[in-house]
Amino acid sequence: MNIKDLYYFQRLISTQSYTQTAADFHVSQPTISQAIKRLERHFQTTLFFRQAKTKALVLTPSGQQLLLAANDIIANWQHVNESIGHLRQHTLRLGVEPSVGERYLPALTQPIVEQDLLKSIHTVEMGANQLVKQVLGGQLDLAISCNLDQTLDERLAVTPLKPFHFKILCSPEHALTKLEKPTFKDALQYPFVILNATYLNKLVFHQLAEQLSIEPQVMFESDNSTLISGLVRENLALGFISDIGMAPTDDLVEIPITDVQAPSVHINLIRRAHQFPIGLFKQVMDIVEDTFNVKVN
């Protein structure tokens, strides 16, 4: 069976036209017809039939199964072509979530420079959800991302690098610091400034508030952690931070969250499950894992 036959089959079902499919691939219409016949001979079944009134091509159960499989095969084939192309060029595309990059990118960059890999690695910065989509879509080879553990796609190979936790950030003058054991429920009486949807903080913040059935007062959202620290420092609001979201500061108070069940969250190194870690790919994975003090098998 030729993989081109799967391309023809996939496009034919999409266009519903032998003529259009042939034109899209710059081949003759009999070429498309012969491809469909080869597939049906191979699987010894009918893949679709033409509806009498509308002339639409209607998939049989076997055709539906083949189309699902064809979609995966074609996507993986395209990823393989891209990956081998990057291997030939000795390049790798690495995505990094902003909060991770802010804290760890300098430490990651040093061994990359020492191993003379700087020109081979193209680094981009984007939010967690977008990183996952781009790894799955083949636009990125690797990504370092903060993720809720239960939300990761089974098509990804995931290496947990570091767990992290969330805290309340406040000014020493804030009323919350006067309580003996301040809780997240106590904190929700006051306005917050939080990181925006580029970060995982916003999702976790609202999940925790939902556990208490309290609508939080969000005064401001930003992707600038320095701005958030400044507003907290001026005692205008509370902050909601993670271990990696902001660097520790001596003039602000961090209050742990103990009265609600926080989700399990990690910084992860993610790649497509079928992407084999060899060559430059393996070098970069080793650098990332060593930076986060993960034992490499």
Side-chain angles (χ1 to χ4, degrees):
M1 185 177 67
N2 193 323
I3 194 169
K4 282 187 178 180
D5 292 350
L6 295 179
Y7 276 92
Y8 295 154
F9 172 67
Q10 182 193 57
R11 186 66 61 85
L12 176 61
I13 300 306
S14 175
T15 64
Q16 294 283 296
S17 168
Y18 280 86
T19 303
Q20 183 60 54
T21 301
D24 289 345
F25 287 101
H26 306 288
V27 298
S28 66
Q29 187 171 322
T31 298
I32 306 301
S33 299
Q34 290 164 11
I36 300 305
K37 289 177 181 177
R38 280 194 297 270
L39 288 171
E40 291 186 330
R41 282 199 303 269
H42 178 84
F43 292 107
Q44 299 180 11
T45 189
T46 300
L47 297 174
F48 56 81
F49 60 88
R50 190 177 291 279
Q51 198 173 57
K53 290 184 178 180
T54 65
K55 304 299 182 183
L57 302 180
V58 180
L59 290 168
T60 64
S62 297
Q64 292 173 4
Q65 181 64 53
L66 180 59
L67 182 61
L68 291 173
N71 290 339
D72 286 339
I73 291 168
I74 289 170
N76 287 331
W77 182 249
Q78 290 170 341
H79 293 158
V80 168
N81 281 319
E82 291 172 1
S83 298
I84 291 176
H86 288 124
L87 285 172
R88 288 199 311 268
Q89 299 166 13
H90 199 62
T91 59
L92 180 139
R93 301 152 301 175
L94 173 66
V96 182
E97 190 171 345
S99 57
V100 177
E102 186 176 341
R103 182 65 70 87
Y104 293 103
L105 200 55
L108 282 168
T109 302
Q110 184 176 350
I112 287 172
V113 172
E114 290 173 353
Q115 296 183 36
D116 197 26
L117 298 176
L118 196 58
K119 293 181 180 179
S120 301
I121 301 172
H122 302 157
T123 306
V124 297
E125 191 177 73
M126 61 186 69
N129 291 338
Q130 193 63 22
L131 286 173
V132 169
K133 288 178 182 177
Q134 294 224 357
V135 170
L136 287 171
Q139 291 88 8
L140 291 174
D141 300 302
L142 283 170
I144 307 172
S145 175
C146 301
N147 308 98
L148 294 174
D149 291 355
Q150 67 269 29
T151 63
L152 287 169
D153 195 290
E154 62 182 8
R155 293 170 294 172
L156 296 171
V158 180
T159 302
L161 298 171
K162 184 180 179 67
F164 61 97
H165 307 90
F166 292 90
K167 304 173 184 177
I168 302 162
L169 187 70
C170 66
S171 162
E173 287 76 39
H174 196 281
L176 203 62
T177 63
K178 314 307 178 188
L179 300 179
E180 183 178 353
K181 292 183 178 180
T183 65
F184 189 62
K185 184 176 182 179
D186 295 328
L188 288 177
Q189 299 177 42
Y190 303 96
F192 272 82
V193 286
I194 63 174
L195 291 166
N196 62 24
T198 303
Y199 297 81
L200 196 59
N201 296 48
K202 180 178 179 179
L203 175 61
V204 173
F205 176 76
H206 285 283
Q207 283 188 0
L208 297 184
E210 284 177 8
Q211 289 185 36
L212 297 168
S213 300
I214 297 175
E215 183 66 31
Q217 307 172 56
V218 179
M219 185 177 78
F220 187 69
E221 294 181 14
S222 175
D223 61 359
N224 188 326
S225 59
T226 302
L227 177 59
I228 289 176
S229 295
L231 292 170
V232 172
R233 190 172 287 108
E234 294 297 323
N235 202 18
L236 297 173
L238 297 172
F240 183 76
I241 65 168
S242 71
D243 295 334
I244 63 167
M246 299 178 186
T249 56
D250 295 334
D251 60 336
L252 295 176
V253 178
E254 295 182 0
I255 299 174
I257 297 171
T258 58
D259 59 321
V260 286
Q261 183 64 45
S264 178
V265 191
H266 279 82
I267 304 173
N268 294 305
L269 178 61
I270 61 176
R271 60 182 171 87
R272 292 186 301 279
H274 298 298
Q275 175 70 60
F276 300 107
I278 57 178
L280 175 64
F281 206 102
K282 181 67 163 61
Q283 279 183 276
V284 175
M285 285 187 66
D286 288 348
I287 288 172
V288 172
E289 291 176 334
D290 287 343
T291 299
F292 283 89
N293 298 314
V294 173
K295 183 178 179 181
V296 181
N297 294 324

